[in-house]
Amino acid sequence: MKIGIIIAIKRELEAFLESGSGIRRENLFGHTIYHTEMEGHEVSAVVSGYGEIDAAAATQLLIVQSGCEIVLNFGVTGALIPGLQVQDLFLVRRVCHYDYDVSPIDPVKVHQYEEYPDEFIPLDQELLEKAKKILPGLQEVGVASGCQFIEKKEEKDELAALDCQICDMEIAAIARICLKNGVKCFSIKCISDTYEGNGGDFNQNVTRSAKRAFAVLRELIRAL
């Protein structure tokens, strides 16, 4: 199977590079695509950069250039509710692009794209169910995704009110581009900064939290 992996930043990429062997680099359109064989599959990974625009561009590039059948995403995330701890792992069930709103001009809810039944972009249910069997006990969550690093508690509370438990800056774009291309999408996230945390906690925990997320993602790759 051909598998694509979208990684937001280089500090998260370390987890992938350390676990692969015979990695071949290909430079295309301002991106480096990392090709390797992993658990019997052809795997291609790309670092998108922060934010929805860069994530969308990298996802489309990976789908077109690598012909991947599924796109996987792993990385760190911020907690929107109290009680979640650094290195807690979560399976992403759905994502709300909280920066998006055309409700003043179209008959949709706030944050809703017209092709979806509500304000959430779904990820692939089949991959999610497979992951739940392989990784029992991991919680499913909704993600609030947008182009901001969320640090203030009042902002976290507003996003949590959307029925989201964690936040990131890329998965809305990744999931949407995959759906538009008919490619399955799956994401696993690991807490780097808690509800009480901030950017300093992110910088302190990003590398080890990303490694924990990728270790679990590799279990799913092994089972595909």
Side-chain angles (χ1 to χ4, degrees):
M1 179 181 293
K2 292 185 178 181
I3 298 173
I5 300 179
I6 303 291
I7 304 164
I9 60 174
K10 289 183 178 180
R11 282 177 287 175
E12 294 172 320
L13 175 68
E14 293 178 20
F16 173 80
L17 294 179
E18 290 175 2
S19 63
S21 60
I23 293 177
R24 177 174 61 87
R25 291 165 169 79
E26 179 183 17
N27 296 316
L28 285 172
F29 306 109
H31 292 83
T32 300
I33 302 179
Y34 301 85
H35 302 282
T36 190
E37 183 175 321
M38 188 174 293
E39 308 296 349
H41 301 287
E42 297 178 40
V43 176
S44 299
V46 65
V47 176
S48 66
Y50 289 122
E52 308 292 347
I53 294 174
D54 285 1
T59 304
Q60 189 65 56
L61 174 67
L62 197 61
I63 290 172
V64 171
Q65 294 294 329
S66 300
C68 48
E69 302 162 69
I70 64 174
V71 167
L72 307 178
N73 166 251
F74 76 93
V76 301
T77 186
L80 295 177
I81 58 176
L84 305 184
Q85 303 299 317
V86 171
Q87 292 204 302
D88 283 352
L89 288 164
F90 300 94
L91 305 175
V92 178
R93 182 176 78 255
R94 58 185 190 169
V95 53
C96 176
H97 185 189
Y98 64 82
D99 285 333
Y100 183 81
D101 180 17
V102 294
S103 61
I105 56 174
D106 284 342
V108 293
K109 299 177 182 178
V110 177
H111 315 308
Q112 182 184 3
Y113 288 86
E114 63 177 358
E115 59 263 54
Y116 310 132
D118 55 30
E119 60 270 44
F120 287 96
I121 304 169
L123 277 73
D124 186 76
Q125 188 65 33
E126 183 180 349
L127 287 175
L128 181 63
E129 292 300 322
K130 184 181 288 287
K132 287 165 60 178
K133 291 179 181 178
I134 301 166
L135 310 164
L138 289 189
Q139 182 181 348
E140 299 176 48
V141 293
V143 181
S145 190
C147 291
Q148 303 175 55
F149 185 89
I150 304 299
E151 190 172 47
K152 297 177 181 178
K153 286 185 178 179
E154 54 267 32
E155 294 177 344
K156 294 179 181 181
D157 292 340
E158 289 178 4
L159 295 179
L162 299 173
D163 195 20
C164 294
Q165 294 75 45
I166 62 176
C167 60
D168 90 331
M169 298 175 64
E170 294 83 29
I171 190 58
I174 296 168
R176 179 161 170 76
I177 294 300
C178 284
L179 282 167
K180 290 176 77 69
N181 282 273
V183 173
K184 295 181 177 182
C185 179
F186 172 85
S187 179
I188 186 165
K189 299 291 188 180
C190 188
I191 296 290
S192 59
D193 45 296
T194 65
Y195 177 78
E196 295 79 14
N198 54 34
D201 297 290
F202 169 85
N203 284 322
Q204 180 179 345
N205 298 315
V206 58
T207 300
R208 66 190 182 108
S209 290
K211 288 181 179 180
R212 178 163 168 76
F214 182 73
V216 175
L217 185 72
R218 186 157 186 171
E219 294 184 38
L220 175 62
I221 293 174
R222 186 179 296 119
L224 291 174

